[in-house]
């Protein structure tokens, strides 16, 4: 099993920044990729960004491109999501996830991830 613990959520005004962290622990073999998803009330969980652990290549959905940056510290089994120029529509519960498989085919899908954190709330006010 792999445990994922997120931190760093909070409340900010539009235009502000937050940095989320997700630390992995447990006895499972290393995942091939890790990512961030978010879910707003009444909406489906959606991908935000993902990173391929081996080479650090990052992928983003269009709505956060240029504002969010995903990165990793492999020595600490931790990934980060730096979120700048936050908008009210970024308000959601943010989840960290880890998976293994055909990364380019599945990184945007919840089904592509085997392990999930409990989530951390991000609230952006206008």
């Amino acid at each position: 099993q792999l445990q994922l613990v997120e931190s760093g959520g909070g409340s900010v005004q539009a235009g502000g920044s937050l940095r989320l962290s997700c630390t992995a622990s447990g006895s499972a073999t290393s995942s091939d990729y890790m990512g961030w998803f978010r879910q707003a009330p009444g909406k489906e969980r959606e991908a935000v960004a993902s990173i391929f652990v081996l080479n650090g290549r990052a992928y983003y959905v269009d709505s956060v491109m240029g504002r969010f940056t995903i990165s990793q510290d492999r020595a600490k089994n931790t990934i980060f999501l730096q979120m700048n120029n936050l908008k009210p529509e970024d308000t959601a519960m943010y989840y960290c996830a880890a998976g293994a498989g055909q990364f380019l085919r599945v990184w945007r899908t919840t089904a592509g991830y085997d392990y999930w954190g409990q989530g951390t709330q991000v609230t952006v006010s206008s």
Side-chain angles (χ1 to χ4, degrees):
Q1 281 285 41
L2 189 67
Q3 290 80 44
L4 303 174
V5 178
E6 305 100 333
S7 62
S11 298
V12 296
Q13 291 189 328
S17 298
L18 284 172
R19 189 191 195 208
L20 307 183
S21 300
C22 171
T23 298
S25 62
S27 59
T29 56
S30 298
S31 298
D32 294 335
Y33 48 88
M34 296 182 69
W36 291 96
F37 283 71
R38 65 187 180 187
Q39 187 168 19
K43 295 188 176 181
E44 293 187 354
R45 193 170 297 190
E46 63 177 5
V48 175
S50 191
I51 188 166
F52 195 73
V53 173
L54 184 62
N55 59 17
R57 183 163 292 184
Y59 293 79
Y60 303 90
V61 296
D62 289 346
S63 60
V64 306
M65 188 80 68
R67 300 188 298 123
F68 291 10
T69 302
I70 188 171
S71 60
Q72 64 178 350
D73 183 337
R74 293 184 66 182
K76 296 182 179 180
N77 294 322
T78 299
I79 65 168
F80 307 95
L81 186 67
Q82 177 66 43
M83 305 184 293
N84 298 329
N85 191 22
L86 282 160
K87 304 176 180 180
E89 51 264 42
D90 295 317
T91 295
M93 185 71 78
Y94 282 69
Y95 297 90
C96 174
Q102 298 185 24
F103 175 64
L104 292 180
R105 289 183 58 188
V106 302
W107 75 268
R108 296 174 184 264
T109 70
T110 56
Y113 297 79
D114 304 303
Y115 302 98
W116 293 85
Q118 294 299 307
T120 185
Q121 178 68 36
V122 172
T123 303
V124 185
S125 58
S126 57

